[in-house]
Amino acid sequence: MKHVATAHSNIALVKYWGKRDHGANLPAAGSFSATLGDLTTTTSVEPIEGDADRVTLDGEEDTSGRLSRFLDLLRDRADRRTALHVETSNDFPTAAGLASSASGFAALTLAATRALGLELDERELTRLARRGSGSAARSLHGGWVEVVPTDDAYAVRVAEAGHWDLRCVVFLTAEGSKKVGSTDGMNHTVATSNYFDAWVDSVPADIEAAKQAVLARDLERLATVAERSCLRMHASALAADPGVLYWNGATVELIHRVREARSSGLPAFFTIDAGPHVKVFCPADAVPGVEALGEGVSNGVILSSIGGAAEVDEVAE
Ligand code: DP6
């Protein structure tokens, strides 16, 4: 019997940047995100004979062992030693530096816990996904999602996908995978940035403000918080030693264009993760105006609406 799960990527509007515990992968603060319905990972898991897992990512064998180590956590919880065959694929370019670990670990958590016979509630599933990747906790839910930074941090849905029909326009501004991954970038920031404490102190108020803005469907307010959180996260990384700079010239140009367009009445705001691409949120009818902002600087666009929760099915072979 095979279990097949799908999960969507997500983009944080109040960023997760820094851990307070590496072993349990505990975030130093909370975060707040929107789930992206058009960026999907599909993962199948089935028990196999023998002691070794077989893991393929987009058709290529995974030799990093990261997924197998994560599966060990789930096997410990289930008290079963079953080896597993995992096949996972993304319908969006992984190498483009988009958040494939978020949707990937969310889908894997859902499919593998089922394959191992674990019956867990949503909160527990988000805690396990977090152990794989912090942002993955949020991808189990649809819509607008918060990570609550307790001693065993978990994710909760703040509003469902249909609450507010915003779109996300992802401007790709470079080719190839990112130079400093999120985990390394944030660990280096925690270890060496003298702005890190100030960054962490700023997060709770931003989460509160972002939640209120989403519940009120107030784009101006959400724009203020999301851009502030993004710029402060990058400021903390820039102040590391040596500083981590994720942006290229096109990233900066797009920041200026989005801000100028908003001051001329286009309802849109940007956010940027641990890479050079720029994600712009706006209502559906503003998408053409936003897409036009990429002219001459962006080398590709991905459009997504806000998506639903991760799902799992049992498939007989
Ligand atoms: C900039 O979730 O990839 O995208 O827990 O080490 O796997 P690990 O980190 P990860 O970090 C995401 C960082 C971010 C901001 C965010 O998604 O909140």
Side-chain angles (χ1 to χ4, degrees), residues 80-150:
R80 285 175 64 176
R81 299 276 66 84
T82 324
L84 298 168
H85 179 204
V86 176
E87 276 183 325
T88 181
S89 61
N90 297 313
D91 70 353
F92 56 96
T94 324
L98 295 170
S100 61
S101 70
S103 49
F105 278 103
L108 181 61
T109 301
L110 202 49
T113 49
R114 285 292 179 85
L116 291 165
L118 282 167
E119 296 276 343
L120 300 171
D121 63 21
E122 276 189 345
R123 185 170 292 194
E124 221 35 47
L125 287 169
T126 69
R127 286 181 162 133
L128 283 173
R130 182 206 80 221
R131 305 281 296 261
S133 187
S135 50
R138 301 186 306 240
S139 270
L140 280 157
H141 293 295
W144 305 87
V145 185
E146 176 186 7
V147 165
V148 184
T150 62

Coordinates of all heavy atoms in Angstrom, one line a residue, residues 80-150:
R80 N 8.7 1.6 14.9 CA 8.8 0.6 13.8 C 10.1 0.8 13.0 O 10.5 2.0 12.9 CB 7.6 0.7 12.9 CG 6.3 0.1 13.5 CD 5.2 0.4 12.6 NE 5.2 -0.3 11.3 CZ 4.3 -0.3 10.4 NH1 3.2 0.4 10.6 NH2 4.4 -0.9 9.3
R81 N 10.7 -0.2 12.5 CA 12.0 0.0 11.8 C 11.8 -0.1 10.3 O 12.8 -0.2 9.6 CB 13.0 -1.1 12.3 CG 13.3 -1.1 13.8 CD 14.5 -0.1 14.1 NE 14.1 1.3 13.9 CZ 13.5 2.1 14.8 NH1 13.1 1.6 15.9 NH2 13.2 3.3 14.5
T82 N 10.6 -0.1 9.8 CA 10.3 -0.3 8.4 C 11.1 0.6 7.5 O 11.1 1.8 7.6 CB 8.8 -0.1 8.1 OG1 8.1 -0.5 9.2 CG2 8.4 -0.7 6.8
A83 N 11.8 0.0 6.5 CA 12.5 0.8 5.5 C 11.4 1.3 4.5 O 10.4 0.7 4.3 CB 13.5 0.0 4.7
L84 N 11.6 2.5 3.9 CA 10.6 3.1 3.1 C 11.1 3.5 1.7 O 12.3 3.9 1.6 CB 10.1 4.4 3.8 CG 9.4 4.1 5.1 CD1 9.1 5.4 5.9 CD2 8.1 3.4 5.0
H85 N 10.3 3.4 0.7 CA 10.6 3.9 -0.6 C 9.8 5.3 -0.8 O 8.6 5.3 -0.7 CB 10.1 2.9 -1.7 CG 10.4 3.4 -3.1 ND1 9.7 3.0 -4.2 CD2 11.3 4.3 -3.6 CE1 10.1 3.6 -5.3 NE2 11.1 4.3 -4.9
V86 N 10.6 6.3 -1.0 CA 10.0 7.7 -1.1 C 10.3 8.2 -2.4 O 11.4 8.2 -2.9 CB 10.6 8.6 0.0 CG1 10.1 10.0 -0.1 CG2 10.4 8.1 1.4
E87 N 9.2 8.7 -3.1 CA 9.4 9.4 -4.4 C 8.8 10.8 -4.2 O 7.6 10.9 -3.9 CB 8.7 8.6 -5.5 CG 9.6 7.5 -6.0 CD 8.9 6.8 -7.2 OE1 7.7 6.7 -7.2 OE2 9.7 6.4 -8.1
T88 N 9.5 11.8 -4.5 CA 9.0 13.1 -4.3 C 9.3 14.0 -5.6 O 10.3 13.9 -6.2 CB 9.4 13.8 -3.0 OG1 8.8 15.0 -2.8 CG2 10.9 13.9 -2.9
S89 N 8.3 14.8 -6.0 CA 8.5 15.7 -7.1 C 7.8 17.0 -6.9 O 6.8 17.1 -6.3 CB 8.0 15.0 -8.4 OG 6.6 14.8 -8.3
N90 N 8.4 18.0 -7.5 CA 7.8 19.4 -7.4 C 7.3 19.8 -8.8 O 7.9 19.5 -9.8 CB 8.9 20.4 -7.0 CG 9.4 20.1 -5.6 OD1 8.7 19.8 -4.7 ND2 10.8 20.0 -5.5
D91 N 6.2 20.6 -8.8 CA 5.7 21.1 -10.1 C 6.3 22.5 -10.3 O 5.7 23.2 -11.1 CB 4.2 21.0 -10.2 CG 3.5 22.0 -9.3 OD1 4.2 22.7 -8.5 OD2 2.3 22.2 -9.4
F92 N 7.3 22.9 -9.6 CA 7.9 24.2 -9.8 C 9.5 24.0 -9.7 O 9.9 23.0 -9.2 CB 7.5 25.2 -8.7 CG 7.7 24.7 -7.3 CD1 8.9 25.1 -6.6 CD2 6.8 23.8 -6.6 CE1 9.1 24.7 -5.3 CE2 7.1 23.4 -5.3 CZ 8.2 23.8 -4.7
P93 N 10.2 24.9 -10.3 CA 11.7 24.7 -10.4 C 12.4 24.8 -9.0 O 12.4 25.8 -8.4 CB 12.2 25.9 -11.3 CG 11.1 26.9 -11.3 CD 9.8 26.2 -11.0
T94 N 12.9 23.6 -8.6 CA 13.5 23.5 -7.3 C 14.8 24.4 -7.3 O 15.1 25.0 -6.3 CB 14.0 22.0 -7.1 OG1 13.0 21.2 -7.6 CG2 14.1 21.8 -5.6
A95 N 15.5 24.3 -8.4 CA 16.8 25.0 -8.5 C 16.6 26.5 -8.4 O 17.6 27.2 -8.2 CB 17.6 24.6 -9.7
A96 N 15.4 27.0 -8.6 CA 15.2 28.4 -8.7 C 15.3 29.0 -7.3 O 15.1 30.3 -7.1 CB 13.9 28.7 -9.3
G97 N 15.5 28.2 -6.3 CA 15.6 28.8 -4.9 C 14.3 29.1 -4.3 O 14.2 29.9 -3.4
L98 N 13.2 28.4 -4.8 CA 11.9 28.6 -4.1 C 11.8 27.6 -3.0 O 12.6 26.6 -3.0 CB 10.8 28.4 -5.1 CG 10.8 29.5 -6.2 CD1 9.9 29.2 -7.3 CD2 10.5 30.9 -5.6
A99 N 10.9 27.8 -2.1 CA 10.9 27.0 -0.8 C 10.4 25.6 -1.0 O 9.3 25.2 -0.7 CB 10.1 27.7 0.2
S100 N 11.3 24.7 -1.6 CA 10.8 23.3 -1.8 C 11.0 22.5 -0.5 O 10.3 21.5 -0.4 CB 11.7 22.7 -2.9 OG 13.0 22.7 -2.6
S101 N 11.8 23.0 0.4 CA 11.9 22.2 1.7 C 10.6 22.3 2.5 O 10.2 21.4 3.2 CB 13.1 22.6 2.5 OG 13.0 23.8 3.1
A102 N 9.9 23.4 2.4 CA 8.6 23.6 3.1 C 7.6 22.6 2.6 O 7.1 21.8 3.4 CB 8.1 25.0 2.9
S103 N 7.3 22.6 1.3 CA 6.3 21.7 0.8 C 6.8 20.3 0.9 O 6.0 19.3 1.1 CB 5.9 22.1 -0.6 OG 7.0 22.3 -1.4
G104 N 8.1 20.1 0.7 CA 8.7 18.8 0.7 C 8.5 18.0 2.0 O 8.0 16.9 2.1
F105 N 8.9 18.7 3.1 CA 8.8 18.1 4.4 C 7.4 17.9 4.9 O 7.1 17.0 5.7 CB 9.7 18.7 5.4 CG 11.2 18.3 5.4 CD1 12.1 19.1 4.8 CD2 11.5 17.1 5.9 CE1 13.4 18.7 4.7 CE2 12.9 16.6 5.8 CZ 13.8 17.4 5.2
A106 N 6.5 18.9 4.5 CA 5.1 18.8 4.9 C 4.5 17.5 4.2 O 3.8 16.7 4.9 CB 4.4 20.0 4.5
A107 N 4.7 17.4 2.9 CA 4.2 16.2 2.2 C 4.8 14.9 2.7 O 4.1 13.9 2.9 CB 4.4 16.3 0.7
L108 N 6.1 14.9 3.0 CA 6.7 13.7 3.5 C 6.2 13.3 4.9 O 6.0 12.1 5.2 CB 8.3 13.9 3.5 CG 9.1 12.7 4.0 CD1 8.9 11.5 3.1 CD2 10.6 13.1 4.1
T109 N 6.0 14.3 5.7 CA 5.5 14.0 7.1 C 4.1 13.4 7.0 O 3.9 12.4 7.7 CB 5.4 15.4 7.9 OG1 6.7 16.0 8.0 CG2 4.9 15.1 9.3
L110 N 3.3 13.9 6.2 CA 1.9 13.4 6.0 C 1.9 12.0 5.5 O 1.3 11.1 6.0 CB 1.2 14.4 5.1 CG -0.4 14.4 5.2 CD1 -0.8 14.5 6.7 CD2 -0.9 15.5 4.4
A111 N 2.6 11.8 4.4 CA 2.6 10.4 3.7 C 3.3 9.4 4.6 O 2.9 8.3 4.8 CB 3.3 10.5 2.4
A112 N 4.5 9.8 5.2 CA 5.3 8.8 5.9 C 4.6 8.4 7.3 O 4.7 7.3 7.7 CB 6.7 9.3 6.1
T113 N 4.0 9.4 8.0 CA 3.4 9.0 9.2 C 2.2 8.0 9.0 O 2.1 7.1 9.7 CB 2.8 10.3 10.0 OG1 2.1 11.1 9.1 CG2 4.0 11.1 10.6
R114 N 1.5 8.3 7.9 CA 0.4 7.3 7.5 C 1.0 6.0 7.2 O 0.5 4.9 7.6 CB -0.4 7.8 6.3 CG -1.3 9.0 6.7 CD -2.4 8.5 7.6 NE -3.3 9.6 7.9 CZ -4.3 10.1 7.1 NH1 -4.6 9.4 6.0 NH2 -5.0 11.1 7.4
A115 N 2.1 6.0 6.4 CA 2.7 4.7 6.0 C 3.2 3.9 7.2 O 3.2 2.7 7.2 CB 3.8 4.9 5.0
L116 N 3.5 4.6 8.2 CA 4.1 3.9 9.4 C 2.9 3.7 10.4 O 3.2 3.2 11.6 CB 5.2 4.8 10.1 CG 6.5 4.9 9.3 CD1 7.3 6.0 9.8 CD2 7.2 3.6 9.3
G117 N 1.7 4.0 10.1 CA 0.6 3.6 10.9 C 0.4 4.6 12.1 O -0.3 4.3 13.0
L118 N 1.0 5.8 12.0 CA 0.8 6.8 13.1 C -0.5 7.6 12.9 O -0.7 8.1 11.8 CB 2.0 7.8 13.1 CG 3.3 7.3 13.7 CD1 4.4 8.2 13.4 CD2 3.1 7.2 15.2
E119 N -1.3 7.7 13.9 CA -2.5 8.6 13.8 C -2.2 9.8 14.6 O -2.3 9.8 15.8 CB -3.7 7.8 14.4 CG -4.1 6.6 13.7 CD -5.0 6.9 12.5 OE1 -5.6 8.0 12.4 OE2 -5.1 6.0 11.6
L120 N -1.9 10.9 14.0 CA -1.5 12.1 14.7 C -2.5 13.3 14.4 O -3.0 13.3 13.2 CB -0.1 12.5 14.4 CG 1.0 11.5 14.7 CD1 2.3 11.9 14.1 CD2 1.1 11.3 16.2
D121 N -2.7 14.2 15.4 CA -3.6 15.3 15.0 C -2.7 16.4 14.3 O -1.5 16.3 14.2 CB -4.2 15.9 16.3 CG -3.3 16.4 17.3 OD1 -2.1 16.7 16.9 OD2 -3.6 16.6 18.5
E122 N -3.4 17.4 13.8 CA -2.7 18.4 12.9 C -1.6 19.0 13.6 O -0.5 19.3 13.0 CB -3.7 19.5 12.5 CG -4.6 19.1 11.4 CD -5.4 20.3 10.9 OE1 -5.5 21.3 11.7 OE2 -5.9 20.2 9.8
R123 N -1.8 19.4 14.9 CA -0.7 20.1 15.6 C 0.6 19.3 15.7 O 1.7 19.8 15.5 CB -1.2 20.5 17.0 CG -0.3 21.3 17.7 CD -0.9 21.9 19.0 NE -1.9 22.9 18.7 CZ -2.4 23.7 19.6 NH1 -2.0 23.7 20.8 NH2 -3.4 24.6 19.3
E124 N 0.4 18.0 16.0 CA 1.5 17.1 16.1 C 2.2 16.9 14.8 O 3.4 16.9 14.7 CB 1.0 15.8 16.6 CG 1.8 15.1 17.7 CD 2.5 15.9 18.7 OE1 1.9 16.9 19.3 OE2 3.7 15.7 18.9
L125 N 1.4 16.9 13.7 CA 2.0 16.7 12.4 C 2.9 18.0 12.1 O 4.0 17.9 11.5 CB 1.0 16.6 11.3 CG 0.2 15.2 11.2 CD1 -1.0 15.3 10.3 CD2 1.2 14.1 10.7
T126 N 2.4 19.2 12.5 CA 3.2 20.4 12.2 C 4.5 20.4 13.0 O 5.5 20.8 12.5 CB 2.4 21.7 12.4 OG1 2.2 21.9 13.8 CG2 1.1 21.7 11.7
R127 N 4.4 19.8 14.2 CA 5.6 19.7 15.0 C 6.7 18.8 14.4 O 7.9 19.1 14.4 CB 5.3 19.2 16.4 CG 4.6 20.2 17.2 CD 4.3 19.7 18.6 NE 4.0 20.7 19.5 CZ 2.9 20.7 20.4 NH1 2.1 19.7 20.4 NH2 2.8 21.8 21.2
L128 N 6.2 17.7 13.8 CA 7.1 16.8 13.2 C 7.7 17.4 11.9 O 8.9 17.3 11.7 CB 6.5 15.5 12.9 CG 6.2 14.5 14.0 CD1 5.4 13.3 13.6 CD2 7.6 14.0 14.6
A129 N 6.9 18.0 11.1 CA 7.4 18.7 9.9 C 8.4 19.7 10.2 O 9.4 19.9 9.5 CB 6.2 19.3 9.1
R130 N 8.2 20.5 11.3 CA 9.2 21.5 11.7 C 10.6 20.9 12.0 O 11.6 21.5 11.7 CB 8.7 22.1 13.1 CG 9.6 23.2 13.6 CD 9.4 23.4 15.1 NE 10.2 22.4 15.8 CZ 9.8 21.7 16.9 NH1 8.6 21.9 17.4 NH2 10.6 20.8 17.5
R131 N 10.6 19.6 12.5 CA 11.9 19.0 12.7 C 12.6 18.8 11.4 O 13.9 18.8 11.4 CB 11.7 17.6 13.4 CG 10.9 17.7 14.7 CD 11.8 18.2 15.8 NE 12.8 17.3 16.2 CZ 12.8 16.4 17.1 NH1 11.8 16.2 17.9 NH2 13.9 15.6 17.4
G132 N 11.9 18.6 10.3 CA 12.5 18.5 9.0 C 13.0 19.9 8.5 O 14.1 20.0 8.0
S133 N 12.1 20.9 8.5 CA 12.5 22.2 8.1 C 11.4 23.2 8.8 O 10.2 22.9 8.7 CB 12.3 22.3 6.6 OG 12.8 23.6 6.2
G134 N 11.9 24.2 9.4 CA 11.1 25.1 10.2 C 9.8 25.6 9.4 O 8.7 25.6 9.9
S135 N 10.1 26.0 8.1 CA 9.0 26.5 7.3 C 8.0 25.5 6.9 O 6.9 25.8 6.5 CB 9.5 27.2 6.1 OG 10.5 26.4 5.4
A136 N 8.4 24.2 7.0 CA 7.5 23.1 6.6 C 6.3 23.0 7.5 O 5.2 22.5 7.1 CB 8.2 21.8 6.5
A137 N 6.4 23.4 8.8 CA 5.3 23.3 9.7 C 4.1 24.0 9.1 O 3.0 23.6 9.2 CB 5.7 23.9 11.1
R138 N 4.4 25.2 8.5 CA 3.3 26.0 8.0 C 2.7 25.4 6.7 O 1.5 25.7 6.5 CB 3.9 27.4 7.6 CG 4.6 28.1 8.8 CD 5.0 29.6 8.4 NE 5.8 29.6 7.3 CZ 7.1 30.1 7.2 NH1 7.7 30.6 8.3 NH2 7.7 30.1 6.1
S139 N 3.4 24.6 6.0 CA 2.8 24.1 4.7 C 1.8 23.0 4.9 O 1.2 22.5 4.0 CB 3.9 23.6 3.8 OG 4.4 24.7 3.0
L140 N 1.6 22.5 6.2 CA 0.6 21.5 6.4 C -0.8 22.2 6.3 O -1.8 21.5 6.0 CB 0.8 20.8 7.7 CG 1.8 19.7 7.6 CD1 2.4 19.3 8.9 CD2 1.2 18.4 6.9
H141 N -0.9 23.4 6.6 CA -2.1 24.2 6.6 C -2.3 24.9 5.3 O -1.3 25.3 4.7 CB -2.2 25.2 7.7 CG -2.2 24.5 9.1 ND1 -3.3 23.8 9.5 CD2 -1.3 24.6 10.1 CE1 -3.0 23.4 10.8 NE2 -1.8 23.8 11.2
G142 N -3.5 25.2 5.0 CA -3.8 26.1 3.8 C -4.0 27.5 4.4 O -4.1 27.8 5.6
G143 N -4.1 28.5 3.4 CA -4.5 29.8 3.8 C -3.4 30.6 4.5 O -2.2 30.6 4.0
W144 N -3.7 31.2 5.6 CA -2.8 32.2 6.3 C -2.4 31.5 7.6 O -3.3 31.1 8.4 CB -3.6 33.5 6.6 CG -4.1 34.0 5.3 CD1 -5.3 33.7 4.7 CD2 -3.4 34.9 4.4 NE1 -5.4 34.4 3.4 CE2 -4.3 35.1 3.3 CE3 -2.2 35.6 4.4 CZ2 -3.9 36.0 2.2 CZ3 -1.8 36.4 3.4 CH2 -2.7 36.6 2.3
V145 N -1.2 31.3 7.9 CA -0.7 30.4 8.9 C 0.3 31.0 9.8 O 1.2 31.7 9.4 CB -0.1 29.1 8.2 CG1 0.3 28.1 9.2 CG2 -1.1 28.5 7.2
E146 N 0.2 30.7 11.1 CA 1.2 31.2 12.1 C 1.9 30.1 12.8 O 1.4 29.1 13.1 CB 0.4 32.0 13.2 CG 1.2 32.5 14.3 CD 0.4 33.1 15.4 OE1 -0.8 33.0 15.4 OE2 1.0 33.7 16.4
V147 N 3.2 30.3 13.0 CA 4.0 29.4 13.8 C 4.0 30.0 15.3 O 4.4 31.1 15.4 CB 5.4 29.1 13.3 CG1 6.3 28.5 14.4 CG2 5.4 28.2 12.1
V148 N 3.6 29.2 16.2 CA 3.6 29.6 17.6 C 4.8 29.0 18.3 O 5.0 27.8 18.3 CB 2.3 29.0 18.3 CG1 2.2 29.5 19.8 CG2 1.0 29.4 17.5
P149 N 5.7 29.9 18.7 CA 7.1 29.5 19.1 C 7.2 29.0 20.6 O 7.9 29.5 21.4 CB 7.9 30.8 18.9 CG 7.0 31.9 19.2 CD 5.6 31.4 18.8
T150 N 6.4 28.0 20.9 CA 6.5 27.4 22.2 C 7.7 26.5 22.3 O 8.5 26.4 21.3 CB 5.3 26.5 22.5 OG1 5.3 25.4 21.5 CG2 4.0 27.3 22.4

